[in-house]
Amino acid sequence: MATILGQNQYGKAENRVVKITRDGDTHHIKDLNVSVALSGDLEEVHLNGSNANVLPTDTTKNTVFAFAKEYGIESAEQFGIHLARHFVDDIAPMNRARIRIEEYSWERIANSDANSKFIGADEVRHSFVRKGQETRVAQITYDGEKFEVLSGLKDLTVLNSTNSEFWGFIKDKYTTLQEDYDRILATSLSTWWRHNWTCDDERMPNWEKSYEQTKKHLLQAFAETYSLSLQQTMYQMGSRVINSRSEIDEIRMSAPNKHHFRQDLSFCGLDNDAKDGAVYYAADRPYGLIEATILRDGADQRIPVDMTNL
Amino acid sequence: MATILGQNQYGKAENRVVKITRDGDTHHIKDLNVSVALSGDLEEVHLNGSNANVLPTDTTKNTVFAFAKEYGIESAEQFGIHLARHFVDDIAPMNRARIRIEEYSWERIANSDANSKFIGADEVRHSFVRKGQETRVAQITYDGEKFEVLSGLKDLTVLNSTNSEFWGFIKDKYTTLQEDYDRILATSLSTWWRHNWTCDDERMPNWEKSYEQTKKHLLQAFAETYSLSLQQTMYQMGSRVINSRSEIDEIRMSAPNKHHFRQDLSFCGLDNDAKDGAVYYAADRPYGLIEATILRDGADQRIPVDMTNL
Amino acid sequence: MATILGQNQYGKAENRVVKITRDGDTHHIKDLNVSVALSGDLEEVHLNGSNANVLPTDTTKNTVFAFAKEYGIESAEQFGIHLARHFVDDIAPMNRARIRIEEYSWERIANSDANSKFIGADEVRHSFVRKGQETRVAQITYDGEKFEVLSGLKDLTVLNSTNSEFWGFIKDKYTTLQEDYDRILATSLSTWWRHNWTCDDERMPNWEKSYEQTKKHLLQAFAETYSLSLQQTMYQMGSRVINSRSEIDEIRMSAPNKHHFRQDLSFCGLDNDAKDGAVYYAADRPYGLIEATILRDGADQRIPVDMTNL
Amino acid sequence: MATILGQNQYGKAENRVVKITRDGDTHHIKDLNVSVALSGDLEEVHLNGSNANVLPTDTTKNTVFAFAKEYGIESAEQFGIHLARHFVDDIAPMNRARIRIEEYSWERIANSDANSKFIGADEVRHSFVRKGQETRVAQITYDGEKFEVLSGLKDLTVLNSTNSEFWGFIKDKYTTLQEDYDRILATSLSTWWRHNWTCDDERMPNWEKSYEQTKKHLLQAFAETYSLSLQQTMYQMGSRVINSRSEIDEIRMSAPNKHHFRQDLSFCGLDNDAKDGAVYYAADRPYGLIEATILRDGADQRIPVDMTNL
């Protein structure tokens, strides 16, 4: 046969695992969507249909749920490390595991006032409302020697209603855009960052704290940058993360420019200047799409280009 | 011709209006999705294609943007009342206007510490991150005499990790479900409520406060009800709203029972009891769907049955 | 308590039932998404949480699958009638059942040439590719005496590249739209129609043939109407159905005007007239939304206004 | 600064271009979604916000529409080649352009019978209904010297109702899956293939014919393979493409195993064996996800691993 098998992987995708932990009357929740992809000695199943080296995707699913019970879920990253290690170290034909995780966050529902006629204040320690802001993501890859841990987030929508300009660009025969000295800058951020931790000999980051701090730096750099272009803002966001978090060596960002066009209202005699508080039309498509990797000087560039578009 | 024209309406749907208001350096944002539906003397356009009585949908769009600039957006409800009144009172062929609005809420991005090397603390008064929790909705209908104002929300996802039972139900030959004395109760709430305000002679509610309080009552009643069925929880939620908010006479709720099944882990020798903190599988489909209207005694039932499924 | 219970219903939604029928080597497929909603003597479960009159939604799910096996699926309508009758006639507390169904259609994969080296031509009698055009829908309601059968479709996207004009409309201070004598008319049709069959004493329609013919009439009336407005086209579509299909008394249509704007290319010296074959920008939002009911003269209007927006 | 800029690109995404070509009364339609991504001498805009080397995304949008008018759209691939060449060859700071395109296909609406009372048979030469099956995709990359042309499709949903087995797999402590000798095999295929054409000196493929033939081979190989695993089926599909189409050197496929589980109906005494025509439950999540690259022997592996998951 004139064809050969290239890169391949398989596993169960989108296992929706919810783990409740009870600490007396106070409950905690972890809500994950876990996808497993395994590679290894799998040529036979492709060429001849022999499943002798195939761990069924159903078994990878069962393993996810069993591990959540047996070992708990401290963080998405820790859980993924645990799973990846198992699939490579314990399942003979496998030599690489990649665990992708989405995490949905919840907050507690506030009590009604203390003299509620319904039920005591303690009771809502088990009641949650989904936050619904960004989705947290993680990807853990293990090849039997080293781990690569990416963390990230998607669908974090931010907007500056001023302090954004856009001018001084190339003009050619297809140019119609006017320069703008006071525009809305808005994006729905998708980003992945790479931790420099790779194995148990190194001190493992505090994944939960690292995530919260990185998100905070992204938000603040967005808010506090006076922007001359979305590229500049994005570079500020990424470099603030690299400069502030020593555990992170690389960050990849994808930022759709969610255009808010000032509506022309001259048809009915109305000015609509930004300085007076304007009315904007929030457009869907097309949108500018700005993507970049920012690296710690000397670090390798390892996050794939399309990682932020998945 | 043996056919006749029944109910009909038209207008521009999903106008994405964003209004920024500047109060010195402090900006405020209103982010709406506005849909217009007009009815009136429109038989000719259907039967003969004469547009003599047709206000183009493009004009209804322009009107939405112009009104946002000229009159501002205090609340979705106030804005809808203003628009509905215009289309019926000012456009001769129209005798009914229905304005539907979705509202997306934003919160301010917190400052970095005061001695930030980037930019002063004041600057982020114009920086926002989308909250992303529920979507607020409103529908205003006006027929030239009376208004009907519905408010509501959708996609508010809540979960109780205990205090939910389900037993004592009908058993027939198709029954396999086991009784459960400690289950997760979760739903993604969609609800509309009807205000009893109908015209300018009556005192208008504070729409913003009414919404915040109603959402709070829904959340707290969900959290504080010891549940024997989702129907019971939903009735508690609805009746708490009616009993707590005198401006509301009717509420319609649709609550998909977002099943969280305890994963059977006996295959590998693990117990997975709720009392110890269990692992659950969050299922997509099928889901129970529980719908009900709760009314103030003596009030009319006016919210359509499928309103919560739009 | 000052609150009372209004309309309510419950059941399992979105049961994804696939039935394969084997006729020798030739297989047939029916692919449905079935939602059950039951009403009846259900006040107790809402007020007190007693499930004594509650058939669990899990049981309604089991019933759907068992009926598919025991009785087969001739058509979505026939299957819904069968289910609705069971829930009302056989489950004592229930006095109304509503079955909603989506159907996905498949076509057979064509053989490779007869002397294929792979496998005989007969073998692909069990191989299907999903058509992916419109989604067929049906709703069957039964109250113990009469049935109401609605059929319909959604997401049928059609486009005329000429024979559409729009002019002669109202102009007011918010009007900016230019008249157009050669525009694209495109819509993504959502429609429900009501059969006049209500009980076993009457001759039941051939549901499959009725659906195919109705879809054909809708398509042809869209294609063959020289349009002065989308309202006119929609009325032609509806009245052709009523005039051609005696089993149908009422049709409700919702037609988003999927705007295709001629792109202004004068910036680079290009004309872009419709008559020469133009380039259009297909817009997402906002869109005109045109809705109407067309009735057989003398028939009742029974399809809810928002039925086509679900 | 301790950070450096890595890979970066930008442009306008999702330009929804519809081109009508008129050939007398017969119209033709091309319906594309075009995304532009440019790379080049762009460090300044990231580091300092200088837009001197930035062609605005708005201009890339204008260029897309102008090219559609000026040069027409023969095929997605040809159109992308044309655009990519322009951005690199004509815009000085750019050294790489990547054009991604989705294409939606339409078919003509059949005439009503010749003696239609409505309108002549010829008229519907301008009337189309969207096919709605797979979405065709293309990606053209140009670096000033060579082109790389990928073609592909997504969301092509196929199902074999028999001739699929799964047994002989690894069993460990987490295994519960039963072996199956007659199961449904269904997937929603996403695939990209790479053409070996790279520059004008080589004979360019007929892109339209190549696409139609490749889709046909994929469908037939799926239908005609007796499957012992989805991996085997996928390898057959890929190798048939490589063996049948000399213009293609590499193919990447992603095939979610859309599980159809035979519903256990023993609770009501019903058998549900595959051989008798069974009832299946079509599950949403989790799903097996099988991915592989198949290469012409000697060819480079160049399609990124996640390309089929975008």
Side-chain angles (χ1 to χ4, degrees):
Chain A
M1 192 175 299
T3 56
I4 58 169
L5 179 66
Q7 200 278 350
N8 62 86
Q9 59 193 10
Y10 82 102
K12 195 71 100 192
E14 303 211 32
N15 298 282
R16 290 285 291 105
V17 189
V18 175
K19 174 73 177 75
I20 301 294
T21 307
R22 296 189 175 198
D23 178 11
D25 284 345
T26 302
H27 294 197
H28 303 274
I29 183 169
K30 275 286 182 183
D31 185 359
L32 305 184
N33 189 19
V34 179
S35 296
V36 175
L38 306 178
S39 301
D41 182 6
L42 292 163
E43 196 156 286
E44 280 306 298
V45 64
H46 289 87
L47 270 54
N48 306 318
S50 162
N51 293 304
N53 279 356
V54 173
L55 185 75
T57 65
D58 186 76
T59 304
T60 68
K61 178 202 71 174
N62 284 349
T63 307
V64 169
F65 284 96
F67 271 48
K69 178 63 190 176
E70 199 154 9
Y71 307 109
I73 302 174
E74 272 178 47
S75 66
E77 288 82 358
Q78 163 274 342
F79 188 59
I81 289 169
H82 207 148
L83 284 167
R85 194 191 310 265
H86 164 71
F87 287 122
V88 175
D89 289 353
D90 300 345
I91 309 295
M94 304 306 159
N95 57 34
R96 182 180 177 276
R98 192 202 68 199
I99 311 295
R100 277 193 184 154
I101 302 178
E102 292 186 340
E103 179 171 355
Y104 315 109
S105 61
W106 297 78
E107 59 191 13
R108 293 182 189 280
I109 296 177
N111 290 331
S112 60
D113 51 25
N115 50 0
S116 161
K117 64 181 172 180
F118 289 89
I119 253 179
D122 286 350
E123 296 295 318
V124 293
R125 291 182 183 167
H126 59 263
S127 294
F128 304 90
V129 56
R130 192 160 154 176
K131 278 178 118 165
Q133 201 164 70
E134 87 279 8
T135 298
R136 178 174 169 179
V137 292
Q139 174 179 292
I140 296 88
T141 312
Y142 177 59
D143 63 3
E145 294 196 6
K146 298 269 188 197
F147 289 91
E148 182 188 81
V149 181
L150 307 182
S151 301
L153 57 83
K154 60 181 178 182
D155 300 331
L156 183 67
T157 305
V158 289
L159 181 150
N160 286 333
S161 54
T162 190
N163 286 12
S164 168
E165 307 184 4
F166 189 59
W167 49 268
F169 41 75
I170 295 175
K171 275 113 191 156
D172 73 359
K173 70 180 281 205
Y174 301 110
T175 303
T176 57
L177 188 71
Q178 300 299 305
E179 302 196 329
D180 197 340
Y181 294 84
D182 192 356
R183 63 172 188 170
I184 281 184
L185 186 70
T187 188
S188 176
L189 190 67
S190 175
T191 176
W192 286 92
W193 52 88
R194 182 169 56 79
H195 299 274
N196 43 38
W197 180 88
T198 61
C199 65
D200 295 335
D201 297 343
E202 300 160 5
R203 186 171 162 227
M204 192 178 280
N206 178 329
W207 305 111
E208 300 294 75
K209 182 179 172 191
S210 179
Y211 178 81
E212 287 309 325
Q213 289 294 309
T214 304
K215 178 184 168 186
K216 187 196 73 173
H217 286 299
L218 289 167
L219 282 175
Q220 291 181 349
F222 175 81
E224 297 169 4
T225 299
Y226 191 103
S227 178
L228 299 174
S229 74
L230 183 45
Q231 281 93 334
Q232 181 203 20
T233 293
M234 206 162 68
Y235 190 80
Q236 286 298 320
M237 295 167 75
S239 61
R240 194 185 293 200
V241 168
I242 300 293
N243 287 326
S244 306
R245 304 301 310 170
S246 62
E247 73 274 23
I248 300 174
D249 271 5
E250 180 185 6
I251 182 167
R252 175 77 182 174
M253 309 174 79
S254 175
N257 195 338
K258 294 176 79 74
H259 302 302
H260 287 68
F261 298 115
R262 262 185 302 126
Q263 188 79 15
D264 180 355
L265 300 173
S266 59
F267 60 81
C268 60
L270 292 170
D271 286 334
N272 192 25
D273 293 337
K275 68 176 162 40
D276 303 321
V279 172
Y280 299 84
Y281 160 55
D284 294 311
R285 295 191 294 182
Y287 50 90
L289 183 58
I290 317 297
E291 302 168 277
T293 296
I294 295 101
L295 295 156
R296 186 177 301 284
D297 201 357
D300 287 340
Q301 182 171 303
R302 303 191 53 168
I303 305 176
V305 164
D306 272 318
M307 196 67 192
T308 41
N309 298 323
L310 296 178
Chain B
M1 191 175 299
T3 55
I4 58 170
L5 178 67
Q7 201 279 350
N8 62 87
Q9 60 193 9
Y10 81 101
K12 195 70 100 193
E14 304 210 32
N15 298 283
R16 291 284 290 106
V17 189
V18 175
K19 175 73 177 75
I20 302 294
T21 307
R22 297 189 174 198
D23 178 11
D25 284 346
T26 302
H27 294 196
H28 303 274
I29 184 170
K30 276 287 183 182
D31 186 358
L32 305 185
N33 189 19
V34 180
S35 295
V36 175
L38 305 179
S39 301
D41 182 7
L42 292 163
E43 195 156 285
E44 279 307 298
V45 65
H46 289 87
L47 270 55
N48 306 317
S50 161
N51 293 303
N53 280 357
V54 172
L55 186 75
T57 65
D58 186 76
T59 305
T60 69
K61 178 201 72 175
N62 284 349
T63 308
V64 168
F65 285 95
F67 271 48
K69 177 64 188 175
E70 199 154 10
Y71 307 110
I73 302 175
E74 272 178 47
S75 66
E77 287 82 358
Q78 163 275 343
F79 188 60
I81 289 168
H82 207 146
L83 283 167
R85 193 191 311 264
H86 163 71
F87 288 122
V88 175
D89 289 354
D90 300 346
I91 309 296
M94 304 306 160
N95 58 35
R96 182 181 178 275
R98 191 202 68 197
I99 312 295
R100 277 193 184 154
I101 302 178
E102 292 186 339
E103 179 171 354
Y104 315 109
S105 60
W106 298 78
E107 58 192 12
R108 293 181 190 279
I109 296 177
N111 289 330
S112 59
D113 52 25
N115 50 359
S116 161
K117 65 182 171 182
F118 289 89
I119 251 179
D122 286 351
E123 296 295 318
V124 294
R125 290 184 183 164
H126 59 263
S127 294
F128 304 90
V129 56
R130 191 161 154 175
K131 279 177 118 166
Q133 200 164 73
E134 87 279 7
T135 298
R136 179 174 169 179
V137 291
Q139 174 180 292
I140 297 87
T141 312
Y142 177 58
D143 64 3
E145 294 197 6
K146 299 269 188 196
F147 289 92
E148 181 189 82
V149 181
L150 306 182
S151 301
L153 58 82
K154 61 180 178 181
D155 300 331
L156 183 67
T157 304
V158 289
L159 181 150
N160 286 333
S161 53
T162 190
N163 286 13
S164 169
E165 308 184 3
F166 188 58
W167 49 268
F169 41 75
I170 295 176
K171 275 112 191 159
D172 73 359
K173 69 180 282 203
Y174 301 110
T175 303
T176 56
L177 187 71
Q178 300 299 307
E179 303 196 327
D180 197 340
Y181 293 84
D182 191 356
R183 64 172 188 170
I184 281 184
L185 187 70
T187 188
S188 176
L189 191 67
S190 176
T191 176
W192 286 93
W193 52 89
R194 182 168 57 79
H195 299 273
N196 42 38
W197 180 88
T198 62
C199 65
D200 295 335
D201 298 343
E202 300 160 5
R203 187 172 159 225
M204 192 177 281
N206 178 329
W207 305 110
E208 301 294 75
K209 182 178 171 192
S210 179
Y211 178 81
E212 288 309 324
Q213 288 294 310
T214 303
K215 179 185 168 186
K216 187 196 73 174
H217 286 299
L218 289 167
L219 282 176
Q220 291 181 349
F222 175 81
E224 297 169 3
T225 299
Y226 191 104
S227 178
L228 300 173
S229 74
L230 183 45
Q231 281 92 333
Q232 181 204 19
T233 293
M234 206 162 67
Y235 191 80
Q236 286 297 320
M237 295 167 77
S239 61
R240 194 184 293 199
V241 168
I242 301 292
N243 287 327
S244 306
R245 304 301 310 171
S246 62
E247 74 274 23
I248 300 173
D249 271 4
E250 179 185 5
I251 182 167
R252 176 77 183 174
M253 307 174 80
S254 174
N257 195 337
K258 293 177 79 73
H259 303 302
H260 287 69
F261 298 115
R262 262 186 300 126
Q263 189 79 14
D264 180 356
L265 300 173
S266 58
F267 61 80
C268 59
L270 291 171
D271 285 334
N272 192 24
D273 292 338
K275 68 176 162 41
D276 303 322
V279 171
Y280 299 84
Y281 160 55
D284 294 311
R285 294 191 296 182
Y287 50 89
L289 183 57
I290 317 297
E291 301 168 277
T293 296
I294 295 100
L295 295 156
R296 187 176 302 284
D297 201 358
D300 287 339
Q301 182 171 305
R302 303 192 52 169
I303 305 177
V305 163
D306 272 317
M307 195 68 192
T308 42
N309 298 324
L310 295 177
Chain C
M1 193 176 298
T3 57
I4 58 169
L5 179 67
Q7 201 278 351
N8 62 86
Q9 59 193 10
Y10 81 102
K12 195 71 101 192
E14 302 210 34
N15 299 283
R16 289 286 290 105
V17 189
V18 175
K19 175 74 178 76
I20 302 294
T21 308
R22 296 188 174 198
D23 178 11
D25 284 345
T26 302
H27 293 197
H28 303 275
I29 184 170
K30 276 285 182 182
D31 185 359
L32 305 185
N33 189 18
V34 180
S35 297
V36 175
L38 306 179
S39 302
D41 182 7
L42 292 163
E43 196 157 284
E44 280 306 298
V45 64
H46 289 87
L47 271 53
N48 306 318
S50 162
N51 293 304
N53 279 357
V54 172
L55 186 75
T57 65
D58 186 77
T59 304
T60 68
K61 178 201 71 175
N62 284 348
T63 307
V64 168
F65 284 96
F67 271 48
K69 177 64 188 175
E70 199 155 11
Y71 308 109
I73 302 175
E74 273 178 45
S75 66
E77 287 82 359
Q78 163 275 341
F79 188 59
I81 289 168
H82 208 148
L83 282 167
R85 194 192 310 266
H86 163 72
F87 287 121
V88 175
D89 288 355
D90 301 346
I91 310 296
M94 305 306 160
N95 56 35
R96 182 180 178 275
R98 191 202 70 198
I99 312 294
R100 277 193 183 154
I101 301 178
E102 292 186 339
E103 179 171 355
Y104 315 109
S105 59
W106 297 78
E107 59 192 12
R108 292 182 190 280
I109 296 176
N111 290 332
S112 60
D113 52 25
N115 50 0
S116 160
K117 63 181 173 182
F118 289 90
I119 253 179
D122 286 352
E123 295 296 317
V124 293
R125 290 182 183 167
H126 60 262
S127 293
F128 304 89
V129 56
R130 192 160 153 173
K131 279 178 118 164
Q133 200 164 71
E134 87 279 8
T135 297
R136 178 175 170 180
V137 291
Q139 174 180 292
I140 297 88
T141 311
Y142 177 58
D143 64 2
E145 294 196 6
K146 299 269 188 197
F147 288 92
E148 181 188 83
V149 181
L150 307 182
S151 300
L153 57 83
K154 60 180 178 182
D155 300 330
L156 183 67
T157 304
V158 290
L159 180 149
N160 286 334
S161 54
T162 189
N163 286 14
S164 168
E165 308 184 4
F166 188 60
W167 49 268
F169 41 76
I170 295 175
K171 276 115 191 154
D172 72 1
K173 69 179 283 203
Y174 301 110
T175 303
T176 57
L177 188 73
Q178 300 298 305
E179 303 197 326
D180 197 340
Y181 294 84
D182 192 357
R183 62 172 189 171
I184 281 184
L185 187 70
T187 188
S188 176
L189 191 66
S190 174
T191 175
W192 286 93
W193 51 88
R194 183 168 57 78
H195 299 273
N196 44 38
W197 180 88
T198 61
C199 65
D200 296 334
D201 297 344
E202 299 160 4
R203 187 172 160 227
M204 192 178 279
N206 178 330
W207 306 110
E208 300 295 73
K209 182 178 171 194
S210 178
Y211 178 82
E212 288 309 325
Q213 289 294 308
T214 303
K215 178 184 168 185
K216 187 196 74 174
H217 286 300
L218 289 168
L219 283 176
Q220 291 181 348
F222 175 81
E224 296 168 4
T225 299
Y226 191 103
S227 178
L228 299 174
S229 73
L230 183 44
Q231 281 93 332
Q232 182 204 20
T233 293
M234 206 162 67
Y235 191 80
Q236 286 298 320
M237 296 167 76
S239 62
R240 194 184 293 199
V241 168
I242 300 293
N243 287 327
S244 305
R245 305 300 311 170
S246 62
E247 74 275 22
I248 299 173
D249 271 6
E250 179 185 6
I251 181 167
R252 175 78 183 173
M253 309 174 78
S254 175
N257 195 338
K258 293 176 79 75
H259 304 302
H260 287 68
F261 298 115
R262 263 187 300 125
Q263 189 79 14
D264 180 356
L265 299 172
S266 59
F267 59 82
C268 59
L270 292 170
D271 285 334
N272 192 26
D273 292 337
K275 67 176 164 38
D276 303 322
V279 172
Y280 299 83
Y281 159 55
D284 295 309
R285 294 191 295 183
Y287 50 89
L289 183 59
I290 317 297
E291 302 168 276
T293 296
I294 295 101
L295 295 155
R296 186 176 302 284
D297 202 357
D300 288 338
Q301 181 172 305
R302 302 192 52 169
I303 304 177
V305 164
D306 273 316
M307 196 67 192
T308 41
N309 298 323
L310 295 178
Chain D
M1 192 176 301
T3 56
I4 58 170
L5 179 67
Q7 201 278 351
N8 62 86
Q9 59 193 9
Y10 82 100
K12 196 70 102 192
E14 304 210 34
N15 297 282
R16 291 285 291 106
V17 188
V18 175
K19 175 72 177 76
I20 301 293
T21 307
R22 297 189 174 198
D23 178 10
D25 284 345
T26 302
H27 294 196
H28 303 275
I29 184 170
K30 277 284 183 184
D31 186 358
L32 305 184
N33 189 19
V34 179
S35 295
V36 175
L38 306 178
S39 302
D41 182 8
L42 292 163
E43 197 156 284
E44 279 307 298
V45 64
H46 289 87
L47 271 54
N48 306 318
S50 161
N51 293 304
N53 280 357
V54 173
L55 186 75
T57 65
D58 186 76
T59 304
T60 68
K61 178 201 72 175
N62 283 348
T63 308
V64 168
F65 284 95
F67 271 49
K69 178 63 189 176
E70 200 155 9
Y71 307 109
I73 301 175
E74 272 178 47
S75 66
E77 287 82 359
Q78 164 275 339
F79 188 60
I81 290 168
H82 208 148
L83 283 168
R85 193 192 311 265
H86 163 72
F87 288 121
V88 174
D89 289 355
D90 300 347
I91 309 296
M94 305 306 159
N95 57 35
R96 181 181 179 274
R98 192 202 69 197
I99 311 294
R100 278 194 183 153
I101 301 178
E102 293 186 338
E103 179 171 355
Y104 315 108
S105 60
W106 297 78
E107 59 191 11
R108 292 180 191 282
I109 296 176
N111 290 331
S112 59
D113 53 25
N115 50 359
S116 160
K117 65 182 172 181
F118 290 89
I119 252 178
D122 285 352
E123 295 295 318
V124 292
R125 290 182 184 167
H126 59 263
S127 293
F128 304 91
V129 56
R130 192 161 154 173
K131 278 178 119 163
Q133 200 164 73
E134 87 280 7
T135 298
R136 178 175 170 179
V137 291
Q139 175 180 291
I140 296 88
T141 312
Y142 177 58
D143 64 2
E145 294 195 6
K146 298 269 187 196
F147 288 91
E148 181 189 81
V149 181
L150 307 182
S151 300
L153 57 83
K154 61 181 179 182
D155 300 331
L156 184 66
T157 304
V158 290
L159 180 150
N160 286 335
S161 54
T162 189
N163 287 13
S164 168
E165 307 184 5
F166 188 58
W167 49 266
F169 41 76
I170 295 175
K171 276 114 190 156
D172 72 0
K173 68 179 283 203
Y174 301 109
T175 303
T176 57
L177 188 72
Q178 300 298 306
E179 302 196 327
D180 196 341
Y181 294 83
D182 192 356
R183 63 173 188 170
I184 280 184
L185 187 70
T187 188
S188 175
L189 192 66
S190 176
T191 175
W192 286 93
W193 52 89
R194 183 168 56 80
H195 299 272
N196 43 38
W197 180 89
T198 62
C199 64
D200 295 335
D201 297 344
E202 300 161 3
R203 187 172 160 226
M204 192 178 280
N206 179 331
W207 305 110
E208 301 295 74
K209 183 179 171 193
S210 179
Y211 178 82
E212 288 309 325
Q213 289 294 309
T214 303
K215 178 184 168 185
K216 187 196 73 174
H217 286 299
L218 289 168
L219 283 176
Q220 291 181 348
F222 175 81
E224 296 169 4
T225 299
Y226 191 104
S227 178
L228 300 174
S229 73
L230 183 45
Q231 280 92 333
Q232 182 204 21
T233 294
M234 207 161 68
Y235 191 80
Q236 286 298 320
M237 295 167 76
S239 61
R240 195 186 292 200
V241 168
I242 300 292
N243 288 326
S244 304
R245 304 301 311 169
S246 62
E247 74 274 23
I248 300 173
D249 272 4
E250 179 185 6
I251 182 168
R252 175 80 183 171
M253 308 174 80
S254 174
N257 195 337
K258 293 176 79 74
H259 303 302
H260 287 68
F261 298 115
R262 263 185 301 126
Q263 188 80 15
D264 180 356
L265 299 173
S266 58
F267 61 80
C268 59
L270 291 170
D271 285 334
N272 192 25
D273 294 336
K275 68 175 163 38
D276 303 322
V279 172
Y280 298 83
Y281 160 55
D284 294 310
R285 295 191 295 183
Y287 50 90
L289 183 58
I290 317 297
E291 301 169 277
T293 295
I294 295 101
L295 295 155
R296 185 176 304 284
D297 202 358
D300 287 338
Q301 181 171 306
R302 302 192 53 169
I303 305 177
V305 164
D306 272 317
M307 196 67 191
T308 40
N309 298 322
L310 295 178

